[in-house]
Amino acid sequence: MPCFFVFGGGMIIGSDKADVGLSRKIAKTVDADIWFPYYPLCHEHDMLENVLMIFDCYKKMLGYYKPENIVLLGFSSGGALILDLITYINELNDSGKNIPMPGFAVPVSPGGVPVTEKEKRAIEALDKEDIMIPAEYMYLAREIMCHGRDIPEKYLATAHGDFRNAPETHFYYGSAETLYAFAPSYAESYRKAGAKCVIHVGKGMHHCYALQYYPRM
């Protein structure tokens, strides 16, 4: 089974040994080929450049595997990136390309830029419980991801992306994280697109709890 695993870090923190260790654990546990892209960070690049790099990696995977066998897995900003990939594939296909969708997707605690009043209110309410991601960062994230350039809104407000033809997608959130505020928007966007998604919620759990990894000492 091929797994396309995209790390998180708010587009400003790179991968570390724990991410590599988690990749190794996933590979051994489910007997998977792990593709682990080191995408460019937004210190010097913008969000669209990240999406393009992620797409290039995915396109290379299509040369080795059947698309229906490919699983997308990403946490935090990496979770948002695999969802942006779905939006980008739709954009390409609308322009005449014929890029197949992957077979399955698992975004863990994906976020986005808040754009609706409902999202903003939910983020502020959850900010009192979150021990990792402050609500104010999600507003700063727009400036970080744009890097001074004009980036299409659908790649920033990821929860409002284009999920037509998306594979079955299983979201994981902790109920005590600010990014849980985006779960209803993702569910609604998938519903409008006619795509299937399931949202799993860990009661009282924190950001990315579902992929937390403690390496052996």
Side-chain angles (χ1 to χ4, degrees), residues 15-26:
S15 174
D16 58 24
K17 291 182 179 179
D19 297 331
V20 176
L22 179 56
S23 297
R24 186 181 297 113
K25 182 177 182 179
I26 294 170

Side-chain angles (χ1 to χ4, degrees), residues 39-52:
Y39 58 86
L41 301 178
C42 288
H43 301 291
E44 299 179 355
H45 303 271
D46 61 55
M47 185 66 171
L48 188 53
E49 289 179 276
N50 291 334
V51 174
L52 293 175

Side-chain angles (χ1 to χ4, degrees), residues 144-211:
I144 291 171
M145 292 189 291
C146 287
H147 198 70
R149 297 162 189 146
D150 186 17
I151 305 301
E153 186 75 1
K154 61 186 176 182
Y155 296 118
L156 303 174
T158 310
H160 303 277
D162 182 355
F163 301 117
R164 290 172 295 150
N165 307 305
E168 181 175 333
T169 302
H170 284 246
F171 291 82
Y172 286 82
Y173 283 104
S175 68
E177 65 168 315
T178 53
L179 300 193
Y180 181 42
F182 293 101
S185 296
Y186 278 116
E188 179 63 10
S189 293
Y190 265 72
R191 185 193 67 78
K192 288 181 178 178
K196 180 180 179 180
C197 80
V198 180
I199 297 179
H200 306 268
V201 182
K203 186 176 180 180
M205 298 304 291
H206 54 78
H207 182 62
C208 289
Y209 80 93
L211 272 182

Side-chain angles (χ1 to χ4, degrees), residues 127-148:
D127 190 44
K128 301 171 185 176
E129 301 180 60
D130 197 310
I131 61 173
M132 298 176 70
I133 309 294
E136 62 182 355
Y137 177 76
M138 299 318 298
Y139 296 95
L140 178 61
R142 175 185 290 274
E143 182 178 346
I144 291 171
M145 292 189 291
C146 287
H147 198 70

